[in-house]
């Protein structure tokens, strides 16, 4: 069932600093969606909605329709999506965005494969460096919590338990951390929604510094 942290009346109050993170179903699990706002007055990030789509109700087309519906309600600036099980969904969302440019889906939906790398500015060397996506995403999220910049609902036991249970299970031969792979779907969704802030609004997230 959806969990909403604020009253839902048609459309939410516009906020350019709003993102959505989507972790598609895998290993027979449900799909997970988190919508994250930045509260300018408090200078903190706040989860305003968490949605779990049970496996029994899940299909690729249903997933696409849900994202379109949520986009109409919340109008996030960016939608970061797990590409691992979402190639079809991402393609469909881009097509819908082309057919209806007003929804912005063509540009705002971005897919990420956790096994790949992304280019991150190195302000010291004044160049771009390749960082493995998953460890980078997790480390950025950890910093947000350590800086007490993340607001969660005190009644959301599901997200709370996944957060406290999340850990590094082992280190791979390549020297990279391998994280918890069960009951962590909302962590990936939250990580993706926050990664959008880190990469698209770096001044707000304050996780990386631009090259001067």
């Amino acid at each position: 069932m959806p969990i909403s942290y604020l009253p839902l009346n048609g459309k939410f109050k516009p906020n350019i600093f709003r993102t959505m993170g989507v972790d598609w179903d895998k290993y027979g699990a449900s799909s997970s969606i988190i919508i994250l706002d930045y509260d300018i007055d408090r200078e903190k990030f706040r989860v305003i909605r968490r949605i779990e789509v049970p496996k029994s109700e899940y299909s690729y087309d249903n997933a696409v329709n849900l994202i379109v519906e949520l986009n109409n309600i919340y109008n996030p600036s960016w939608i970061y999506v797990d590409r691992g099980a979402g190639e079809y969904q991402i393609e469909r969302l881009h097509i819908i965005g082309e057919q209806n440019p007003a929804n912005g889906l063509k540009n705002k939906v971005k897919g990420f494969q956790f096994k790949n790398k992304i280019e991150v500015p190195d302000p010291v060397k004044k160049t771009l460096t390749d960082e493995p996506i998953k460890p980078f995403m997790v480390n950025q999220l950890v910093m947000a919590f350590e800086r007490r910049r993340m607001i969660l609902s005190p009644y959301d036991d599901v997200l709370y338990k996944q957060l406290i249970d999340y850990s590094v299970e082992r280190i791979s031969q390549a020297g990279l951390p391998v994280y918890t792979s069960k009951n962590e779907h909302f962590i990936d969704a939250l990580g993706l929604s926050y990664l959008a802030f880190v990469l698209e609004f770096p001044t707000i997230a304050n996780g990386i510094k631009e090259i001067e």
Side-chain angles (χ1 to χ4, degrees), residues 79 93 114 144 150 174 190:
I79 302 174
L93 289 167
F114 288 148
M150 193 69 64
L190 179 59

Side-chain angles (χ1 to χ4, degrees), residues 123-138:
V124 177
K125 297 181 180 179
K126 296 186 177 181
T127 185
L128 297 175
T129 60
D130 290 332
E131 294 283 347
I133 293 178
K134 188 65 176 281
F136 178 79
M137 181 184 78
V138 172

Side-chain angles (χ1 to χ4, degrees), residues 9-137:
N9 296 310
K11 294 186 178 182
F12 260 51
K13 180 180 178 181
N15 183 3
I16 190 175
F17 302 123
R18 177 176 296 149
T19 65
M20 183 191 306
V22 183
D23 182 44
W24 305 116
D25 76 311
K26 51 190 175 183
Y27 309 123
S30 57
S31 293
S32 306
I33 301 170
I34 279 184
I35 299 174
L36 188 66
D37 258 23
Y38 178 69
D39 189 320
I40 297 177
D41 295 330
R42 297 184 180 183
E43 297 186 347
K44 294 180 184 293
F45 301 92
R46 176 171 55 183
V47 174
I48 61 172
R49 197 171 185 193
R50 175 179 69 78
I51 303 168
E52 182 175 1
V53 185
K55 180 74 172 177
S56 59
E57 300 177 10
Y58 178 87
S59 75
Y60 288 155
D61 288 326
N62 286 342
V64 169
N65 293 336
L66 178 59
I67 298 301
V68 172
E69 178 184 353
L70 292 172
N71 181 64
N72 289 335
I73 295 172
Y74 294 95
N75 191 27
S77 293
W78 300 97
I79 302 174
Y80 273 28
V81 175
D82 170 21
R83 188 180 287 276
E87 289 289 353
Y88 169 80
Q89 299 93 308
I90 294 171
E91 181 180 353
R92 284 293 305 148
L93 289 167
H94 284 166
I95 291 173
I96 292 172
E98 288 182 344
Q99 295 171 341
N100 182 15
N103 62 34
L105 290 171
K106 172 64 177 179
N107 296 317
K108 68 173 63 175
V109 176
K110 292 187 177 183
F112 291 85
Q113 172 60 260
F114 288 148
K115 295 181 180 179
N116 292 345
K117 295 182 177 182
I118 56 173
E119 289 186 336
V120 177
D122 186 330
V124 177
K125 297 181 180 179
K126 296 186 177 181
T127 185
L128 297 175
T129 60
D130 290 332
E131 294 283 347
I133 293 178
K134 188 65 176 281
F136 178 79
M137 181 184 78

